[in-house]
């Protein structure tokens, strides 16, 4: 190729230069470099700032001719070329050259766009947050070996090293919409993984580079965990955290549970047989807990605040009304809710009941 370029350059300098550019990018593609390396190499070759942007994730990479990340304000592009994959535009590449574009700029960007498309195809799709459920199951499955798991994460677009946030989700909203809300500036992949136990509703999984717990929309229940070096363990912890969610606390991080997470390990038969849990379950029976389920609502508020007045504030009731309800609850549960032991037993019973499959 070099010998051909030398011969052609004697006849037509443009043709010789174009062949050298093609050979340059062929070498980069054989080396399987990532987007950052492609941008740095292009900036060095063009002797100006080069940029890459992927539409699906919003990721933008800009590099200076010195081989460093360009952090200054983006200047107007002198030349822009779209990046296409499977006949779909997934991004764009450009040069920020002062003055007029050079003769070989379009050739350079055409090859850069091809190299970016090849990198995206190799390391994972970027157009949408939805992912192949089989690939997500491989990434978080307990039976997956380390090699297959690493390959699945790479195909999903996650680089080795930084921890991946894993979210177990129950929602009627589209998972890709939820993912875009909680991780608007980073990579996020979503997949529906079916039911999570007998009688359970559909379960969704989100894998993301970052998660904003406060960005989940109304009506979404979510359990959060991070992978560290154990994606399968993170998925298990996220599903455990999901079981602890309530209407008042729809998003729960596994790290916030502490020793409470151990309650998820209690066998269902043992939990149902416990007198305290059985008493809480009876409160959930229509008509047994008062009008509109006010008994359970009062118990939850009191267990969450450990104070009659704070529970009254949460329920928007007078404290005397809450106090009267707690007396009735104490008789129904056979507990003295005004003592630390009684309150602890009520909290544990309420939590264990929430973990049962038939609890609302």
């Amino acid at each position: 190729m070099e010998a051909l370029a030398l011969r052609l350059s004697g006849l037509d300098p443009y043709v010789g230069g174009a062949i050298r550019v093609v050979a340059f990018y062929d070498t980069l593609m054989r080396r399987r470099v990532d987007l950052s390396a492609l941008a740095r190499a292009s900036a060095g070759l063009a002797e100006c700032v080069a940029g890459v942007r992927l539409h699906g994730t919003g990721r933008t990479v800009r590099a200076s001719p010195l081989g460093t990340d360009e952090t200054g304000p983006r200047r107007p592009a002198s030349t822009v070329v779209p990046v296409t994959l499977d006949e779909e535009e997934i991004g764009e590449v450009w040069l920020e050259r002062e003055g007029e574009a050079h003769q070989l700029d379009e050739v350079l960007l055409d090859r850069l766009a091809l190299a970016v498309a090849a990198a995206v195809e190799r390391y994972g799709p970027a157009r949408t947050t939805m992912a192949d459920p089989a690939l997500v199951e491989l990434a978080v499955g307990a039976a997956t070996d380390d090699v297959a798991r690493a390959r699945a994460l790479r195909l999903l677009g996650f680089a080795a090293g930084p921890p991946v946030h894993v979210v177990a989700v129950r929602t009627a909203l589209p998972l890709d919409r939820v993912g875009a809300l909680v991780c608007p500036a980073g990579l996020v992949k979503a997949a529906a993984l079916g039911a999570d136990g007998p009688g359970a509703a559909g379960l969704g999984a989100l894998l993301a580079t970052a998660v904003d717990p406060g960005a989940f929309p109304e009506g979404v229940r979510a359990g959060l965990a991070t992978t560290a070096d154990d994606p399968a363990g993170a998925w298990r912890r996220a599903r455990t955290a999901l079981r602890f969610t309530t209407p008042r606390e729809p998003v729960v991080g596994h790290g916030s549970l502490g020793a409470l997470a151990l309650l998820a390990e209690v066998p269902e038969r043992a939990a149902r047989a416990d007198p305290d849990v059985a008493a809480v379950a009876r409160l959930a029976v229509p008509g047994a807990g008062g009008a509109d389920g006010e008994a359970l609502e009062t118990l939850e508020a009191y267990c969450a605040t450990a104070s009659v007045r704070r529970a009254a504030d949460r329920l928007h009731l007078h404290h005397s009304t809450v106090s009267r309800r707690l007396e009735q609850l104490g008789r129904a549960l056979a507990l003295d809710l005004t003592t630390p032991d009684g309150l602890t037993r009520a909290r544990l019973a309420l939590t264990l009941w929430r973990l049962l499959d038939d609890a609302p």
Side-chain angles (χ1 to χ4, degrees):
M1 178 66 77
E2 291 180 1
L4 176 63
L6 286 173
R7 289 197 299 272
L8 289 174
S9 63
L11 302 174
D12 187 336
Y14 172 80
V15 173
I19 292 177
R20 286 191 176 93
V21 171
V22 171
F24 178 80
Y25 281 99
D26 284 349
T27 300
L28 292 178
M29 293 169 71
R30 283 197 302 271
R31 292 177 179 175
R32 297 173 177 265
V33 298
D34 61 13
L35 298 184
S36 297
L38 284 171
R40 290 194 300 269
S42 300
L45 182 62
E47 298 183 337
C48 68
V49 173
V52 177
R53 174 181 167 80
L54 299 180
H55 297 325
T57 62
R59 181 185 178 190
T60 299
V61 180
R62 294 170 67 231
S64 75
L66 299 178
T68 59
D69 292 337
E70 178 62 41
T71 57
R74 178 174 171 178
R75 293 179 287 275
S78 54
T79 313
V80 180
V81 170
V83 179
T84 59
L85 181 62
D86 296 331
E87 300 182 355
E88 182 179 13
E89 184 177 330
I90 65 169
E92 62 182 10
V93 294
W94 68 90
L95 296 177
E96 299 174 21
R97 188 185 297 284
E98 295 184 3
E100 294 184 359
H102 288 191
Q103 189 179 29
L104 291 173
D105 281 359
E106 285 195 14
V107 176
L108 185 153
L109 287 178
D110 282 339
R111 299 306 296 182
L112 174 57
L114 286 173
V116 169
V120 168
E121 187 175 32
R122 181 181 305 119
Y123 295 118
R127 176 65 177 173
T128 174
T129 60
M130 294 304 292
D132 182 356
L135 207 54
V136 174
E137 287 182 348
L138 273 177
V140 300
T144 307
D145 61 69
D146 291 341
V147 174
R149 192 186 315 280
R151 181 176 182 275
L153 287 170
R154 187 172 68 251
L155 289 173
L156 287 167
F158 296 98
V164 178
H165 296 263
V166 181
V167 186
V169 180
R170 293 200 191 281
T171 178
L173 299 174
L175 286 174
D176 55 345
R177 175 184 165 192
V178 177
L181 289 172
V182 302
C183 184
L187 178 65
V188 57
K189 296 297 174 184
L193 298 185
D196 186 32
L203 182 67
L206 299 179
L207 305 181
T209 54
V211 172
D212 179 2
F216 284 94
E218 186 177 354
V220 175
R221 297 284 190 95
L224 315 180
T226 53
T227 59
D229 295 323
D230 183 16
W235 176 235
R236 183 178 63 254
R237 293 190 295 274
R239 285 182 293 143
T240 296
L242 178 63
R243 295 177 62 192
F244 283 85
T245 59
T246 67
R248 287 187 177 274
E249 193 176 8
V251 179
V252 173
H254 187 274
S256 69
L257 293 174
L260 285 175
L262 296 174
L263 294 179
E265 307 298 326
V266 175
E268 182 179 339
R269 179 179 297 181
R272 291 187 185 278
D274 181 81
D276 290 349
V277 177
V280 171
R282 286 194 293 272
L283 294 178
V285 176
D292 299 323
E294 65 182 24
L296 269 180
E297 188 180 22
T298 302
L299 182 63
E300 289 172 346
Y302 181 65
C303 286
T305 60
S307 164
V308 173
R309 290 191 177 275
R310 287 199 294 270
D313 289 341
R314 175 176 286 202
L315 296 169
H316 306 292
L317 295 172
H318 194 274
H319 66 86
S320 62
T321 301
V322 174
S323 181
R324 184 173 63 254
R325 287 187 184 181
L326 289 174
E327 289 180 8
Q328 296 172 349
L329 281 169
R331 289 193 294 271
L333 298 173
L335 294 174
D336 185 352
L337 296 176
T338 62
T339 67
D341 286 347
L343 179 57
T344 298
R345 285 175 59 182
R347 280 174 168 167
L348 289 174
L350 182 61
T351 302
L352 283 167
W353 174 74
R354 283 286 187 196
L355 294 174
L356 297 175
D357 286 333
D358 54 1

